[in-house]
Amino acid sequence: MEAMRGGKFLQKFRLYETRSKFYLVGRDKSRTLWRVLKIDRLESTDLGIQEDPTSYTENECQELLWRIHEGNRLTGGLKFVTKCYGIIGFMKFLGPYYMVIITRRRKVGTICGHDIYSIGKSEMIAIPCPIVCPNVANSRDENRYKRLLCSVDLTKDFFFSYSYNIMRSLQKNINDKNTGHVVYETMFVWNEFLTRAMRNHLKNTDWTVALVHGFFKQSKLSVSGKDFWLTLIARRSRHFAGTRFMKRGVNEKGRVANDVETEQIVFEDTPDDIPSQITSVVQHRGSIPLVWFQETSRLNIRPEITLKSDVDYKATRLHFENLVLRYGNPIVILNLIKTREKKPRESLLRAEFAKAIHYINKGLPDDKRLKFLHMDLSKLSRRKGTNVLGLLNKVASDVLELTDLLHCEITISSKPLDASSGQGSCDIKINDDFCAATMVPLLLQKGVLRTNCIDCLDRTNVAQFAYGLAALGRQLHVLKLTEEPKIDLHDPLADDLMDFYERMGDTLAIQYGGSAAHNKIFCEQRGQWKAATQSQEFLRTLQRYYNNAYTDPEKQDAINVFLGHFQPQQGKPPLWKLDSDQHYNIGRQGTLSEETGRFIKRSLSDGNILCENSAPVSDRNVGENNTASELLPSQQLDDIREPTDSAPEIYMCETNPCPSTKYSTMPGRHSISEERQSYLKRLGYPELHSSNFLDLDLLSSSGNSCDEEAFERFFKLSCTGHRSYIHLWMVSVLDLLLLTVSQDTMMREGMTPTCRAQAASSQTHATILTALLSGWLMEACFATKC
């Protein structure tokens, strides 16, 4: 909302109705400013809004409402409808307009005195009076669109603020003073489309709230006897938004799927809630910025990947240009996907990604080149005795040397701020009053760390926690709360931060992937019972598969309607009769020909990536000068160790238990075995003389999780026709699982209460797995005419 007289904002509203109009009365928190908005109810299909320019006192507003009641007494007078806390927006399907309002809110945090809220309850109200409501208002399609919009649960993971631009990072709020329409048009405001008609008509944003989708958590923590506030914010982009298999890769505008900005804010606890200093660090996650996608499959837990060629990597280039525009240089890419696989899938995306970065870097000056780091986190997590979080923490510390963080000093001033002073300024809220304040940046973040795995969920969240932990150590140090800029992984503060990131990871994974995140590494770090962890991971894999296969299409439709990507029209096919969202977008963008039809036909089930000519990449030339089409070699190959010219010294991960070796920043390349070079060439890697590439590979490959790989083998078995073997395999696995849990349960007498609870949870998981697998087997047998 825009600031009104004296920095006041409309926060509480009461909705009234007559036969011809809605009257929305809004006031500020101190009850000194009252405004009135009129909405015409006699328009059946158009939106008629009129704002009363007068600012009223409370008594004047009550007198105005009494006069309206008296003037409409013959038609029923003025009736109270509901109290509310802001307008989310207006929506039109095939008939009338609907108004979506917030009827209950919850305070979830405070930033510099500005309150942050989530939605407790929302309501959708039809605008026209029943006597003028068009017939289509009660049609089957209209009701289905209404149910579709209402399926977007606004009470989960949406948050807003009346006085603080929560859709922007703290550093951007300091540097950029734009308000109103400009902030609504940013990529993180999810109701931009719903509020567009009202904002364009009124030329202000006084009556609406800007909703941000993602994650928000704030808590008071303590270190060395001093209290401080930790705030973790995840902002999900509305561009190219959707579910796991419906939105993959990058679109033609350079916007990637699962694009999330994460901000970690730290400030000291003070009696007046106004800190003298504040720090912030931002990191980014997003899908691999190549044109690739997957089709949802009910008989394959990991559907085949289709990779589409992109001439000159235009979409990839646009994506990184946008990152530079948002965060500046350098852009550091931490790529966590697999290096080698028995049947190449992720490894080929990795090869194409490396080629794209190399191609883009050739046209950039040295100081603006993209920094590409690769670490196969799946392999690392499989190696016994390997401290994955410790290795990630070292990488994070070195990246922080490049990007730094935001550190500001806050001073309260009673004098008007000079906009030309060059210092950051903002409004600070003290006891419901806004005071002018100056934020003097002592440090500014330059550039950003961009992390990705295949889904940007499980592995990415672990890496983001490691970066957040390294950043937290520095944030507390610059605030003079600690003497050292580092926090040990076994410190209680690290456990607190892990809980923050674990909750964020689960929330983002449910939004995009359909289940909570796989937190195996976090569980191992805490020393949790392995059997309970495995059954939990297995259950989450099942839940993710089910939602991806059965519920994601309708969820994607709801997102498209909410964001305005699809707008219903009379005489046009309804949304649910169109092709799947992924192929609809690709066909519309001209990436695939119209003749491909609704689905791309495949005859291969080996998990290879299919390219434009439907041939697996493993049978095509991937590299620029590749003449062979061999699969990955099975023997162990040497690691790649590449120095960086413009980056600080970065620790390399070693396969031995010795301390990490430090490689200097001298130019040139280290010698690599010919076998390794040949292998990289077959994968399509560029010549590794670029100083901006750093490979941190270690061990043999493994899947994203053991649960998904086991399920993938099971799903492939279902296509072989050996029904009796499938049944025996399933019964054996379930018997073994139940037997293991039963044996573990028999040992509970010597367990702690926590372990006993975990054992009980494992039994519950096993029971659910039995039911789900049995149901799936029946469906699979029916589908294959068993």
Side-chain angles (χ1 to χ4, degrees):
M1 291 189 174
E2 292 178 339
M4 301 181 70
R5 292 171 178 79
K8 299 181 183 297
F9 300 84
L10 299 181
Q11 294 192 27
K12 295 187 177 182
F13 305 84
R14 293 177 69 87
L15 183 64
Y16 301 88
E17 67 172 353
T18 64
R19 188 174 182 179
S20 60
K21 283 184 174 64
F22 276 120
Y23 293 89
L24 186 64
V25 179
R27 67 171 176 86
D28 67 338
K29 193 173 182 178
S30 61
R31 306 178 72 94
T32 59
L33 177 68
W34 298 72
R35 300 291 301 275
V36 177
L37 183 73
K38 305 171 187 178
I39 305 173
D40 192 352
R41 301 189 67 198
L42 298 181
E43 288 284 350
S44 59
T45 57
D46 294 328
L47 183 62
I49 302 178
Q50 182 182 357
E51 183 182 34
D52 189 337
T54 306
S55 295
Y56 297 93
T57 64
E58 185 172 3
N59 290 334
E60 290 172 342
C61 192
Q62 289 178 353
E63 186 177 343
L64 173 65
L65 293 176
W66 175 254
R67 290 201 303 267
I68 294 173
H69 174 71
E70 289 295 314
N72 290 272
R73 185 179 292 275
L74 295 178
T75 56
L78 183 70
K79 300 177 182 177
F80 172 74
V81 179
T82 184
K83 65 177 182 179
C84 60
Y85 299 94
I87 297 176
I88 295 174
F90 292 85
M91 189 67 190
K92 175 183 171 65
F93 303 116
L94 302 174
Y97 269 94
Y98 300 89
M99 178 171 59
V100 185
I101 57 176
I102 300 170
T103 56
R104 193 179 302 162
R105 67 182 183 183
R106 296 186 300 266
K107 182 179 175 180
V108 293
T110 303
I111 299 176
C112 293
H114 299 271
D115 294 334
I116 313 298
Y117 297 94
S118 66
I119 299 175
K121 187 179 179 181
S122 63
E123 190 173 340
M124 184 167 66
I125 300 174
I127 297 298
C129 180
I131 60 173
V132 299
C133 207
N135 295 330
V136 73
N138 295 316
S139 67
R140 180 180 299 179
D141 285 353
E142 180 79 4
N143 288 331
R144 185 165 179 178
Y145 278 122
K146 287 162 62 176
R147 290 195 301 270
L148 201 60
L149 183 68
C150 291
S151 68
V152 178
D153 192 350
L154 298 175
T155 65
K156 289 184 178 179
D157 313 324
F158 284 90
F159 49 94
F160 65 94
S161 176
Y162 298 104
S163 54
Y164 180 76
N165 291 326
I166 191 66
M167 75 292 296
R168 301 192 300 196
S169 67
L170 182 62
Q171 181 165 315
K172 192 169 287 291
N173 275 326
I174 294 172
N175 295 333
D176 188 355
K177 302 305 172 187
N178 290 320
T179 59
H181 288 276
V182 176
V183 297
Y184 271 78
E185 292 166 0
T186 59
M187 62 192 297
F188 299 119
V189 177
W190 271 57
N191 60 333
E192 185 277 332
F193 169 73
L194 295 180
T195 60
R196 189 184 302 166
M198 183 178 186
R199 289 184 290 109
N200 290 340
H201 181 74
L202 299 181
K203 307 301 180 184
N204 66 53
T205 59
D206 298 336
W207 301 88
T208 58
V209 296
L211 292 184
V212 179
H213 186 40
F215 176 82
F216 184 96
K217 178 175 171 60
Q218 185 177 74
S219 183
K220 184 192 291 187
L221 303 177
S222 179
V223 59
S224 303
K226 301 174 183 177
D227 294 336
F228 68 93
W229 287 94
L230 173 64
T231 306
L232 188 63
I233 307 171
R235 305 175 180 95
R236 181 176 293 281
S237 172
R238 62 182 169 88
H239 300 313
F240 207 46
T243 56
R244 185 185 181 199
F245 290 137
M246 296 291 179
K247 295 294 183 181
R248 289 294 216 189
V250 65
N251 66 9
E252 82 284 357
K253 295 181 179 179
R255 295 162 178 167
V256 295
N258 200 18
D259 188 330
V260 180
E261 175 186 273
T262 302
E263 183 178 18
Q264 183 173 294
I265 301 175
V266 178
F267 54 90
E268 189 176 4
D269 183 41
T270 56
D272 58 1
D273 293 331
I274 303 301
S276 59
Q277 297 181 80
I278 188 169
T279 69
S280 166
V281 66
V282 172
Q283 54 181 317
H284 175 269
R285 73 169 72 185
S287 188
I288 299 172
L290 301 171
V291 183
W292 64 282
F293 55 92
Q294 289 176 284
E295 283 183 4
T296 304
S297 172
R298 294 186 178 182
L299 298 178
N300 188 355
I301 198 168
R302 291 199 296 176
E304 295 160 354
I305 297 173
T306 303
L307 178 64
K308 178 73 172 94
S309 61
D310 182 14
V311 180
D312 297 329
Y313 298 105
K314 292 180 180 178
T316 308
R317 188 191 304 273
L318 285 173
H319 171 67
F320 287 110
E321 287 175 354
N322 178 259
L323 285 184
V324 172
L325 187 65
R326 286 156 59 184
Y327 306 110
N329 281 305
I331 303 298
V332 183
I333 304 157
L334 179 57
N335 186 33
L336 303 175
I337 60 178
K338 288 178 273 188
T339 304
R340 293 190 294 275
E341 303 165 284
K342 293 180 180 179
K343 293 177 180 177
R345 299 176 77 254
E346 290 188 21
S347 56
L348 294 174
L349 276 179
R350 180 207 175 197
E352 189 68 16
F353 193 16
K355 285 175 60 181
I357 301 302
H358 180 74
Y359 184 88
I360 293 171
N361 275 344
K362 288 192 297 186
L364 296 175
D366 291 344
D367 61 333
K368 295 183 179 180
R369 288 184 176 178
L370 306 172
K371 313 296 180 185
F372 187 86
L373 308 178
H374 178 79
M375 177 183 287
D376 191 333
L377 200 62
S378 291
K379 290 192 276 186
L380 286 170
S381 63
R382 297 293 181 192
R383 181 173 175 82
K384 292 183 179 180
T386 301
N387 187 349
V388 177
L389 290 175
L391 293 172
L392 284 169
N393 193 262
K394 290 180 180 179
V395 174
S397 296
D398 289 328
V399 173
L400 276 167
E401 292 290 339
L402 286 171
T403 61
D404 224 324
L405 50 81
L406 173 70
H407 176 210
C408 286
E409 190 176 64
I410 302 175
T411 57
I412 308 298
S413 173
S414 58
K415 297 179 180 180
L417 291 170
D418 184 3
S420 62
S421 64
Q423 294 180 335
S425 61
C426 67
D427 287 330
I428 299 293
K429 190 178 178 185
I430 304 177
N431 298 327
D432 297 332
D433 294 324
F434 288 89
C435 301
T438 301
M439 282 193 176
V440 182
L442 306 177
L443 286 174
L444 285 174
Q445 180 173 341
K446 48 187 184 297
V448 74
L449 173 66
R450 184 199 193 277
T451 308
N452 72 265
C453 53
I454 196 69
D455 295 319
C456 300
L457 298 176
D458 313 319
R459 289 169 281 183
T460 296
N461 201 59
V462 174
Q464 288 208 327
F465 159 71
Y467 186 78
L469 184 63
L472 180 60
R474 292 174 181 244
Q475 288 175 293
L476 295 176
H477 182 65
V478 298
L479 293 176
K480 299 180 180 179
L481 297 178
T482 59
E483 295 181 358
E484 297 293 331
K486 184 178 180 181
I487 299 174
D488 189 82
L489 279 169
H490 300 288
D491 192 294
L493 202 56
D495 292 335
D496 293 332
L497 186 69
M498 186 182 294
D499 179 65
F500 270 69
Y501 276 86
E502 187 172 9
R503 291 193 183 189
M504 181 186 74
D506 288 342
T507 300
L508 297 179
I510 290 171
Q511 293 168 8
Y512 180 68
S515 77
H518 292 290
N519 295 315
K520 180 181 177 182
I521 294 177
F522 289 159
C523 294
E524 290 177 351
Q525 178 67 22
R526 294 193 184 99
Q528 291 180 224
W529 192 37
K530 190 173 182 180
T533 300
Q534 288 177 338
S535 61
Q536 174 182 282
E537 298 295 291
F538 204 44
L539 184 62
R540 288 181 177 182
T541 299
L542 267 176
Q543 184 183 3
R544 189 173 294 185
Y545 151 73
Y546 177 83
N547 286 323
N548 294 161
Y550 294 94
T551 66
D552 276 1
E554 184 173 350
K555 184 178 177 181
Q556 184 67 58
D557 288 346
I559 292 173
N560 288 343
V561 170
F562 186 87
L563 295 177
H565 296 332
F566 178 86
Q567 300 176 36
Q569 297 180 19
Q570 287 280 9
K572 300 290 185 180
L575 178 61
W576 44 88
K577 291 186 179 180
L578 298 176
D579 293 344
S580 67
D581 178 79
Q582 181 72 55
H583 297 294
Y584 171 73
N585 280 323
I586 290 175
R588 183 175 57 184
Q589 296 162 10
T591 311
L592 294 179
S593 61
E594 296 292 336
E595 290 76 20
T596 55
R598 178 163 183 166
F599 296 102
I600 301 176
K601 303 299 181 182
R602 292 179 173 84
S603 59
L604 299 176
S605 60
D606 60 354
N608 288 330
I609 300 179
L610 300 184
C611 289
E612 196 171 10
N613 62 359
S614 297
V617 175
S618 56
D619 295 335
R620 302 182 61 207
N621 296 337
V622 187
E624 297 180 75
N625 303 315
N626 185 31
T627 57
S629 58
E630 303 171 32
L631 290 176
L632 306 181
S634 58
Q635 61 268 35
Q636 184 73 20
L637 298 174
D638 298 334
D639 293 337
I640 308 172
R641 299 189 179 105
E642 282 299 310
T644 58
D645 289 337
S646 55
E649 296 174 335
I650 295 183
Y651 285 93
M652 303 298 300
C653 303
E654 291 294 320
T655 57
N656 55 43
C658 303
S660 300
T661 304
K662 201 171 187 180
Y663 290 86
S664 63
T665 59
M666 59 185 296
R669 62 181 275 190
H670 292 283
S671 59
I672 309 174
S673 68
E674 293 182 3
E675 187 178 31
R676 181 64 164 172
Q677 294 184 48
S678 175
Y679 158 69
L680 290 168
K681 223 174 184 182
R682 285 196 297 276
L683 275 185
Y685 275 88
E687 290 295 325
L688 289 180
H689 56 269
S690 171
S691 63
N692 297 282
F693 284 81
L694 183 66
D695 197 326
L696 304 172
D697 287 349
L698 283 177
L699 313 170
S700 58
S701 65
S702 64
N704 190 38
S705 70
C706 58
D707 308 309
E708 289 200 3
E709 285 197 339
F711 258 76
E712 185 181 22
R713 290 192 292 272
F714 174 63
F715 275 74
K716 287 181 179 179
L717 272 174
S718 67
C719 301
T720 63
H722 301 293
R723 311 291 185 264
S724 59
Y725 291 108
I726 297 175
H727 183 265
L728 287 173
W729 182 89
M730 186 189 75
V731 171
S732 299
V733 170
L734 291 175
D735 285 345
L736 181 61
L737 179 62
L738 290 169
L739 178 62
T740 302
V741 173
S742 298
Q743 289 175 343
D744 290 329
T745 305
M746 289 164 54
M747 300 169 60
R748 288 191 200 175
E749 290 186 4
M751 291 181 177
T752 63
T754 302
C755 290
R756 285 197 294 271
Q758 291 174 345
S761 175
S762 296
Q763 281 191 313
T764 303
H765 291 167
T767 305
I768 296 173
L769 287 172
T770 304
L772 288 173
L773 283 173
S774 299
W776 180 89
L777 180 66
M778 294 175 62
E779 180 179 346
C781 292
F782 177 79
T784 52
K785 299 181 180 180
C786 184

